[in-house]
Amino acid sequence: LKELYLWNNEIGENGVKYLIHCKHFEKLEKLSIGGNNIKENGVKYLIECKHFEKLKELNLNSNSIGENGVRY
């Protein structure tokens, strides 16, 4: 799996916690999770995830990540 699109699924930060533990994403290059009610902590979880080392593109449009989330 190299690309995953999960737009407008309202996964929230709890959903992000599940995503980061999925070992099937080790080759993921593009993750698009806009419109999912993800906030600052969700971005932090994504950035710290070891399974996303090959990730080249992360789309977080239409989420409320705030200024601190952008800084990650």
Side-chain angles (χ1 to χ4, degrees):
L1 182 66
K2 290 188 177 191
E3 295 184 9
L4 181 62
Y5 297 88
L6 293 172
W7 271 81
N8 293 318
N9 285 289
E10 296 297 321
I11 63 172
E13 293 182 338
N14 286 331
V16 172
K17 286 181 187 178
Y18 288 107
L19 282 176
I20 64 171
H21 293 293
C22 184
K23 294 179 182 179
H24 298 290
F25 296 154
E26 291 176 343
K27 295 181 180 180
L28 195 66
E29 294 177 5
K30 184 174 185 176
L31 178 60
S32 186
I33 50 176
N36 279 294
N37 198 28
I38 297 169
K39 296 181 175 50
E40 178 183 334
N41 284 333
V43 177
K44 182 178 177 185
Y45 302 146
L46 289 166
I47 298 303
E48 293 175 349
C49 178
K50 302 290 187 218
H51 299 302
F52 292 154
E53 290 178 355
K54 295 189 179 195
L55 195 65
K56 296 177 183 175
E57 186 176 330
L58 175 62
N59 186 332
L60 291 166
N61 286 341
S62 301
N63 285 295
S64 300
I65 61 174
E67 289 182 31
N68 288 332
V70 173
R71 291 183 187 144
Y72 287 119

